[in-house]
Amino acid sequence: MGGISVWQLLIVVLIVVLLFGTKKLRGMGSDLGSAVKGFKKAMSDDDKESDKNQQDADFKQASLSDKKEQADAFKAKDQEKTKDNDRV
């Protein structure tokens, strides 16, 4: 009752073709297709870049934790030296 039938869709398509012409519709279709391709490419490039940045962040975090361990070891050695100096 409230739906659009096939005949109504065909009439709408016929009116659109008469108003715009097939050349203009073909050009709009190709423009829309290239825009969608560009959008997909940008999204995939962004995903690859974010994965790369996350890997870099993991590497930097690992190197910072290594430096922290080295600093803790260095502090322990300094504390032993100060204890030895206090005993003298």
Side-chain angles (χ1 to χ4, degrees), residues 1 9 13-14 29 75:
M1 283 192 45
L9 285 175
V13 169
L14 180 66
K75 286 180 184 178

Side-chain angles (χ1 to χ4, degrees), residues 19-78:
L19 285 175
F20 294 108
T22 56
K23 270 189 174 180
K24 193 174 270 191
L25 289 174
R26 193 177 318 134
M28 287 177 12
S30 66
D31 290 344
L32 180 66
S34 63
V36 169
K37 283 181 186 178
F39 179 75
K40 286 182 180 179
K41 182 181 177 191
M43 292 300 292
S44 66
D45 289 346
D46 189 36
D47 289 341
K48 289 177 185 176
E49 187 174 315
S50 67
D51 289 344
K52 182 182 176 186
N53 287 340
Q54 187 166 2
Q55 289 173 353
D56 290 345
D58 291 342
F59 177 73
K60 290 177 184 175
Q61 188 173 3
S63 66
L64 290 176
S65 65
D66 290 342
K67 288 182 180 181
K68 183 179 178 186
E69 290 174 3
Q70 290 173 354
D72 290 342
F74 185 71
K75 286 180 184 178
K77 287 180 183 178
D78 279 349

Side-chain angles (χ1 to χ4, degrees), residues 5-20:
S5 70
V6 175
W7 292 108
Q8 290 170 337
L9 285 175
L10 287 174
I11 291 171
V12 169
V13 169
L14 180 66
I15 292 171
V16 168
V17 169
L18 289 175
L19 285 175
F20 294 108

